[in-house]
Amino acid sequence: MKITFYGHASLGIEVGGKNIIVDPYISANEQAKHININELKADYVLITHAHGDHILDVDAIVQNTGATIVSNAEIAGYYEKKGYKVHPMNHGGSWNFDFGKVKYVVAHHSSSFPDGTYGGNQGGFVIEGEHKNIYIAGDTALTYDMKLIPLRTKLDLAILPIGSNFTMDVEDAIIASDFLECDKVLGYHYDTFGYIKINHEEAKKKFYDKDKDLMLLEIGKSLEL
């Protein structure tokens, strides 16, 4: 499993011979100017919630690739009306896709489209594929529901927001990693704009002091599990 960071909360995942894009907000991100969304491969687009900084490039990517959108029922319905292929889900549900198993899990945030359309209940994803398991938290506060995830799935990586103001901060992400029983964390949802700028070295040290590993990838860089 290969995971690429495209800035903000945008990810690329290569697993089971398929390409997945998560929450694409790339073309308007000044820090991701070197990423050409027209060159991205996608069999699936996973969407955690409907905010503009998570769905900006969905239309362009799906129109270019024919990818299937996977999200909650309301978001899936919104895009199905546009003629796109969708797979609707909701909290607690899981599905065996051709690249692995996906479960849609609870997140505490908000969710509405830029045009005001209701975006359903925000969520995160647990993906099990190629004998590796990851958790993509989406935008969320620290929540006790995270304790439920390791009861079913032993995680190899947790992808957590760390920018504060709109989501968890670094300190809460450390607690989240305890709840998740996963000490290997990829941070995201930070630095994109003023409200969520962080001190990278300070963040890494806070994790290190708790015997945990916080990875902050450069935009366009990848890690392999």
Side-chain angles (χ1 to χ4, degrees):
M1 184 183 294
K2 181 179 179 181
I3 301 166
T4 303
F5 181 51
Y6 290 127
H8 196 53
S10 304
L11 304 165
I13 302 171
E14 296 176 37
V15 58
K18 300 296 180 179
N19 291 279
I20 302 166
I21 300 292
V22 182
D23 286 357
Y25 174 78
I26 301 168
S27 62
N29 184 356
E30 289 294 312
Q31 300 171 8
K33 281 183 175 179
H34 56 294
I35 306 297
N36 184 348
I37 63 170
N38 295 316
E39 295 178 352
L40 298 180
K41 296 178 181 179
D43 298 291
Y44 297 90
V45 175
L46 272 56
I47 305 173
T48 62
H49 65 292
H51 286 166
D53 61 330
H54 292 256
I55 65 155
L56 176 71
D57 297 315
V58 169
D59 289 276
I61 290 171
V62 171
Q63 289 169 13
N64 189 43
T65 64
T68 298
I69 294 169
V70 180
S71 191
N72 66 37
E74 289 79 8
I75 291 174
Y78 179 93
Y79 285 110
E80 188 173 34
K81 288 178 181 177
K82 293 188 173 189
Y84 302 153
K85 292 183 293 184
V86 302
H87 183 105
M89 302 189 75
N90 220 319
H91 289 156
S94 59
W95 188 261
N96 291 316
F97 291 90
D98 52 5
F99 60 84
K101 183 178 180 180
V102 175
K103 186 171 186 176
Y104 191 66
V105 296
V106 171
H108 285 274
H109 193 58
S110 56
S111 180
S112 59
F113 286 90
D115 65 7
T117 302
Y118 174 56
N121 291 318
Q122 61 287 347
F125 296 100
V126 175
I127 301 175
E128 300 179 5
E130 295 182 340
H131 307 294
K132 298 293 181 180
N133 306 322
I134 66 173
Y135 166 52
I136 303 169
D139 283 11
T140 186
L142 176 65
T143 167
Y144 225 59
D145 290 282
M146 293 172 180
K147 278 182 169 283
L148 299 175
I149 291 173
L151 296 180
R152 289 284 301 271
T153 305
K154 179 175 174 53
L155 296 173
D156 296 286
L157 179 71
I159 303 173
L160 304 178
I162 57 173
S164 195
N165 195 73
F166 299 109
T167 67
M168 295 189 294
D169 59 13
V170 170
E171 288 80 3
D172 279 354
I174 291 171
I175 298 171
S177 71
D178 287 335
F179 287 179
L180 296 162
E181 299 177 14
C182 181
D183 293 333
K184 189 172 185 179
V185 172
L186 174 63
Y188 77 164
H189 206 278
Y190 64 92
D191 280 0
T192 315
F193 29 81
Y195 287 121
I196 60 173
K197 290 190 180 297
I198 67 168
N199 183 311
H200 292 206
E201 294 309 313
E202 183 179 280
K204 290 178 182 178
K205 186 176 187 306
K206 286 179 179 179
F207 269 77
Y208 180 81
D209 288 345
K210 297 293 185 179
D211 295 321
K212 299 175 185 291
D213 181 19
L214 174 66
M215 293 168 286
L216 302 178
L217 290 176
E218 294 180 24
I219 295 175
K221 299 298 183 182
S222 306
L223 64 85
E224 297 201 31
L225 297 175

